[in-house]
Amino acid sequence: MNYFEAIFLISPDVANSDIENICSKFENSVTKEGGKITGKEDWGLRDLAYNIKNLKKAFYNFYQIEIDKNKLPILKKNLSVNEKIIRQIFIKVNEHEELPTQLINKQTNER
């Protein structure tokens, strides 16, 4: 098993119930392929660094997963067929960092 961090961006015009459905489908596909989700965070609606498909904002979702690297293309394909997901990235890491991430800590401290 390899450690990965996955982030995908969901279109801002999607309802909260649809976001939950997208996330649960991703989680189900990870477990179906023999992987394990060790952590997840919802980073909420955030500004994009540049426009993607004429959008200026997106909902960010972050996952820490353990899965065989040969199963990664299947996960990517499952995400890419959903037109509500505008970007995705999987990053291989040596080990997962402790949650909450610095981004969430920063948001909490600003409040």
Side-chain angles (χ1 to χ4, degrees):
M1 290 284 197
N2 298 88
Y3 297 110
F4 291 94
E5 292 181 348
I7 301 171
F8 52 90
L9 310 180
I10 302 173
S11 176
D13 53 348
V14 174
N16 282 342
S17 60
D18 290 337
I19 293 172
E20 292 172 8
N21 289 338
I22 291 168
C23 292
S24 66
K25 285 181 184 178
F26 174 73
E27 293 167 13
N28 290 338
S29 67
V30 169
T31 54
K32 179 183 171 190
E33 297 302 328
K36 181 175 123 182
I37 296 174
T38 57
K40 71 176 190 174
E41 289 183 348
D42 178 8
W43 290 348
L45 185 65
R46 303 184 55 80
D47 291 330
L48 298 171
Y50 54 90
N51 289 358
I52 301 173
K53 298 182 182 177
N54 292 325
L55 299 172
K56 296 180 184 210
K57 293 181 179 261
F59 290 102
Y60 284 65
N61 288 278
F62 172 80
Y63 285 88
Q64 293 176 328
I65 59 176
E66 293 178 32
I67 194 164
D68 183 26
K69 66 179 179 181
N70 297 327
K71 303 289 184 173
L72 212 54
I74 297 169
L75 295 180
K76 289 180 179 181
K77 183 179 179 193
N78 289 343
L79 288 175
S80 66
V81 297
N82 189 335
E83 60 192 37
K84 296 174 184 171
I85 297 175
I86 58 174
R87 280 289 189 277
Q88 63 185 0
I89 187 168
F90 288 82
I91 302 168
K92 186 175 187 298
V93 294
N94 293 327
E95 60 184 40
H96 291 302
E97 293 183 15
E98 189 175 322
L99 292 181
T101 57
Q102 291 180 359
L103 179 69
I104 295 296
N105 283 336
K106 182 179 176 185
Q107 287 177 349
T108 307
N109 291 340
E110 289 177 355
R111 291 181 185 170

